[in-house]
Amino acid sequence: MTTTQYIRTGCFLAAAAAVMIWSCNTGSSAKTPAATISTAPELLKVDTSTIPKDKYGEMVRYGRELMLNTAYYIGPEGINGRYLGNKMNCTNCHQDGGTKAFSFNLMLSHQEYPQYRAREGKVLTLAERINNCVTRPHNGKPLPLDSKEMVAFLAYLRWINSFVPKDKPHQGSHNLAVKLPDTAADPEKGKTLYQEHCARCHGKDGEGQLAGVTYTYPPLWGPNGYQPGSSMHRVIKQAQWLKANMPYDKASWNKPFLTDEEALDIAAFVNNDSIHARPDVKNYDYPHVAEKAIDYDKGPFADTFSARQHKYGPFRPVISYWEQNGMKASY
Ligand code: HEC
Ligand code: HEC
């Protein structure tokens, strides 16, 4: 499902809820003015003070610790195991330990796996999906499925899932949408914007700021950044996330700092492999080409567009082509 579709669904549910409340009110003596009723879908959030004080709660707490201080526990110098190939933390992308709305939020994940994954062309468990992030953005080796760390991640994801309202519309589980322009994203413009808005924290060469076991500001490319097969390496995917979340001290989901076009240009610059090296990987998956995300730049492709167009756009002609040929364009 694309983000746009999700947001539309969210609005529809909100509208439906509003109509229900409205019709209740008109049925009574209409004491409550409609203006005081919030029709906005609820924002996803959790309350950590409610983590149970039992064995399960202990695992939830460790899982949360792992999300926030991943490198400290299981990084290249990890105290509980050496799995990650870099010193980034899960929370660098899944902010607030996967609970921040519109930031690759993980609160639905526990209820949505096992799930068919086009990338591998098979149904994966949530544990296997976690290992995809351990191996790709963290450039590491998979956690044993029965390790304490994997069980803790799973316990934590189950616990945050319990805060997802079951009977009310909610928002923030998917990133914001970006409007796709008619032109390709421009890494040259992105370069200027990057130096202006991002370099002060992430460094002029995207190297980040290392502080011992992990980063104050994580790296964006280079040997310590995410792999080219990571979803963050896809231009649309990254732009959708940047919109609500970066610059860190200026953007929020309801007041983005970058325009959609700026977010796409910057993502194009950050992910420009001809100037930015990344850890080398050989396997880019997607056994069925017609299931490949359209902003995934590794061929072969199910259409005749170039790798460059898959990377930078313009994406709309690609989407139209896919739709006309009865394929589902995902991004
Ligand atoms: C460089 C950024 C980055 C880092 C670091 C990262 N992830 Fe991810 N993760 C992603 C992206 C991007 C997705 C795909 C989200 C999407 O498709 O919308 C994802 C997806 C996931 C999913 C699947 C979510 C779902 O519901 O389908 C899980 C679970 C997950 N990550 C867990 C982790 C864990 C645990 C860590 C730390 C070990 C981690 N991630 C580190 C970027 C990252
Ligand atoms: C004020 C400092 C600051 C600025 C400015 C800033 N960031 Fe970040 N960025 C962060 C921090 C801190 C994190 C990690 C977030 C966390 O752990 O909660 C992060 C995480 C990221 C990540 C995901 C992790 C990774 O390293 O891959 C990306 C991508 C990113 N920023 C891109 C950008 C871009 C592009 C800009 C400019 C538009 C930008 N940031 C501006 C502080 C900043």
Side-chain angles (χ1 to χ4, degrees):
M1 174 159 69
T2 66
T3 313
T4 327
Q5 281 166 327
Y6 173 76
I7 285 174
R8 277 195 206 120
T9 317
C11 292
F12 170 76
L13 287 173
V19 168
M20 278 168 57
I21 294 165
W22 176 250
S23 59
C24 286
N25 282 342
T26 47
S28 72
S29 57
K31 276 185 288 222
T32 323
T36 64
I37 298 168
S38 165
T39 54
E42 242 174 64
L43 268 183
L44 288 176
K45 52 179 182 299
V46 300
D47 176 0
T48 50
S49 71
T50 67
I51 298 177
K53 293 181 177 47
D54 56 12
K55 293 284 178 204
Y56 164 67
E58 266 171 39
M59 284 308 248
V60 172
R61 248 178 234 109
Y62 183 43
R64 184 168 167 79
E65 274 289 308
L66 284 169
M67 290 292 304
L68 301 175
N69 303 301
T70 328
Y72 173 74
Y73 291 105
I74 57 169
E77 295 149 30
I79 58 160
N80 290 350
R82 301 189 171 179
Y83 292 98
L84 310 183
N86 61 35
K87 296 183 174 180
M88 285 171 53
N89 301 313
C90 310
T91 199
N92 292 159
C93 301
H94 305 284
Q95 286 186 70
D96 297 347
T99 67
K100 183 178 167 194
F102 304 100
S103 183
F104 292 128
N105 185 285
L106 298 177
M107 289 170 65
L108 282 182
S109 307
H110 191 267
Q111 73 191 56
E112 293 196 335
Y113 284 79
Q115 183 188 107
Y116 177 76
R117 303 289 308 162
R119 182 69 186 268
E120 291 76 22
K122 62 179 186 187
V123 174
L124 294 192
T125 63
L126 184 54
E128 290 171 309
R129 181 65 188 87
I130 289 170
N131 268 338
N132 287 345
C133 274
V134 172
T135 54
R136 291 168 194 153
H138 287 287
N139 194 29
K141 56 174 199 257
L143 290 164
L145 297 181
D146 61 354
S147 59
K148 182 175 175 194
E149 283 66 31
M150 181 56 84
V151 175
F153 274 127
L154 293 170
Y156 173 71
L157 292 177
R158 177 186 159 193
W159 178 76
I160 62 175
N161 179 247
S162 69
F163 289 88
V164 175
K166 302 289 181 276
D167 49 354
K168 284 184 237 153
H170 54 268
Q171 60 178 349
S173 54
H174 296 262
N175 291 345
L176 296 180
V178 293
K179 193 169 170 293
L180 299 174
D182 291 327
T183 49
D186 183 346
E188 275 305 311
K189 280 191 197 157
K191 181 180 179 179
T192 312
L193 291 162
Y194 176 87
Q195 297 306 343
E196 198 177 330
H197 301 302
C198 321
R200 67 189 160 97
C201 293
H202 293 286
K204 101 177 155 14
D205 293 316
E207 72 280 13
Q209 247 182 62
L210 189 63
V213 76
T214 188
Y215 291 89
T216 314
Y217 301 116
L220 300 189
W221 63 85
N224 304 315
Y226 53 83
Q227 286 185 0
S230 310
S231 300
M232 203 47 135
H233 189 251
R234 287 162 45 192
V235 169
I236 303 179
K237 194 59 119 188
Q238 174 162 138
Q240 292 167 335
W241 182 83
L242 292 177
K243 183 174 175 180
N245 298 297
M246 290 293 142
Y248 189 72
D249 53 354
K250 291 189 173 162
S252 62
W253 71 273
N254 51 359
K255 211 169 169 230
F257 178 83
L258 304 170
T259 65
D260 291 8
E261 228 165 296
E262 286 172 341
L264 287 160
D265 289 346
I266 295 177
F269 167 70
V270 168
N271 289 324
N272 180 349
D273 299 320
S274 50
I275 52 169
H276 296 153
R278 292 187 181 278
D280 191 28
V281 259
K282 303 277 177 285
N283 181 9
Y284 294 106
D285 297 337
Y286 284 107
H288 311 294
V289 283
E291 295 176 0
K292 196 172 281 192
I294 58 145
D295 56 337
Y296 197 67
D297 63 350
K298 309 284 181 248
F301 302 109
D303 52 46
T304 54
F305 297 98
S306 65
R308 190 179 168 84
Q309 186 159 356
H310 279 283
K311 186 174 187 82
Y312 299 119
F315 296 107
R316 296 227 297 253
V318 183
I319 296 170
S320 311
Y321 175 93
W322 278 54
E323 282 168 0
Q324 279 158 19
N325 287 280
M327 301 186 294
K328 193 177 161 287
S330 66
Y331 53 92

